[in-house]
Amino acid sequence: MIEHTGPEPSRPLRAWIRSSPGTHIWLLIVAVTSVVVAIAPDRLDHVLLHRNSSNIHQLVKYPLRALLSSAFWIENPASLALYALLFELFHATVERWLGTLRWLVIVATAHIVATLASQKVLLMAIEDHRAPHSMTHVVDIGVSYGLAASIGVMTYRLPNPWRWLYLAGAVAFFGIPLLTGGTFTDLGHAISLSVGLLAWPLTLHPEPHGVHVSRET
């Protein structure tokens, strides 16, 4: 017999985590790497962050590893609590709405495209002597590109007129730094937000949640 049940009312935290597993697995890994950085001896934390960066040097030598590993580290472990809050507000909400696969496609695409595009712009600046050559080894890690993409997707989750107010706020938040002498990271954020906004077709048929199927014999 097939039985349909909703989320466990007596275990809301467990139900929320199970409804967005990708978000919480990602957050757990980030928490572990943050602890590693926090307790690492002097200079070892510096080595870890550089080895797991998606900077020009690492992208040339180890492109796949650099793109993957850079998404699981943050430079300042003290900001872990803030990132945890942002993960719950944006990643978990979008994953629960669209399903893990579509959410993962969007954030992974944003992370990869934003990283490659921003580092390409930085490389051109170095070649034109507008940036020092040492920037090829800059620390470029973190989860912010994926977050920017989820922030963009969230636009389509909101009803009018709040949708347009939210969109204006998101564009201003990521656009103003870029237009006022922003860094390659600011460019990456703007690109990631655009990827999230361009993912509109993936939001047309959201995956229903709150329905669990179990089989009894």
Side-chain angles (χ1 to χ4, degrees):
M1 183 177 73
I2 299 178
E3 180 183 351
H4 297 270
T5 61
E8 305 165 80
S10 62
R11 298 178 178 177
L13 178 61
R14 179 179 175 182
W16 176 259
I17 292 175
R18 291 181 64 183
S19 68
S20 49
T23 294
H24 292 95
I25 291 172
W26 190 2
L27 183 57
L28 176 61
I29 297 173
V30 172
V32 171
T33 59
S34 296
V35 171
V36 169
V37 171
I39 66 176
D42 291 344
R43 294 192 60 81
L44 179 57
D45 58 344
H46 183 77
V47 172
L48 287 171
L49 294 178
H50 275 81
R51 281 183 58 85
N52 290 284
S53 289
S54 52
N55 55 36
I56 295 169
H57 175 76
Q58 293 293 331
L59 284 171
V60 170
K61 294 189 67 175
Y62 315 104
L64 294 180
R65 190 194 74 182
L67 286 170
L68 179 62
S69 64
S70 61
F72 296 103
W73 297 76
I74 56 177
E75 192 168 359
N76 182 9
S79 61
L80 177 61
L82 173 60
Y83 280 118
L85 175 62
L86 295 175
F87 266 56
E88 297 298 339
L89 287 175
F90 298 106
H91 280 322
T93 303
V94 172
E95 182 183 0
R96 192 170 190 268
W97 175 40
L98 299 181
T100 299
L101 180 59
R102 278 183 280 186
W103 163 80
L104 183 59
V105 167
I106 294 168
V107 297
T109 299
H111 177 75
I112 293 170
V113 172
T115 297
L116 295 178
S118 60
Q119 289 298 318
K120 177 62 176 178
V121 170
L122 178 59
L123 177 60
M124 294 169 61
I126 293 171
E127 291 174 341
D128 293 340
H129 305 290
R130 291 181 286 109
H133 189 268
S134 61
M135 291 292 287
T136 58
H137 294 272
V138 69
V139 173
D140 182 28
I141 58 172
V143 299
S144 57
Y145 290 164
L147 274 170
S150 281
I151 289 171
V153 176
M154 275 285 289
T155 302
Y156 306 112
R157 188 76 173 97
L158 301 175
N160 292 323
W162 306 111
R163 173 180 298 179
W164 302 109
L165 294 173
Y166 172 89
L167 177 59
V171 170
F173 183 83
F174 292 110
I176 291 175
L178 181 63
L179 297 175
T180 55
T183 65
F184 71 90
T185 303
D186 295 320
L187 174 61
H189 289 151
I191 292 172
S192 295
L193 179 68
S194 300
V195 170
L197 292 172
L198 290 172
W200 171 72
L202 294 178
T203 70
L204 295 179
H205 303 286
E207 180 175 301
H209 285 270
V211 177
H212 304 277
V213 179
S214 62
R215 295 182 180 275
E216 296 179 0
T217 57

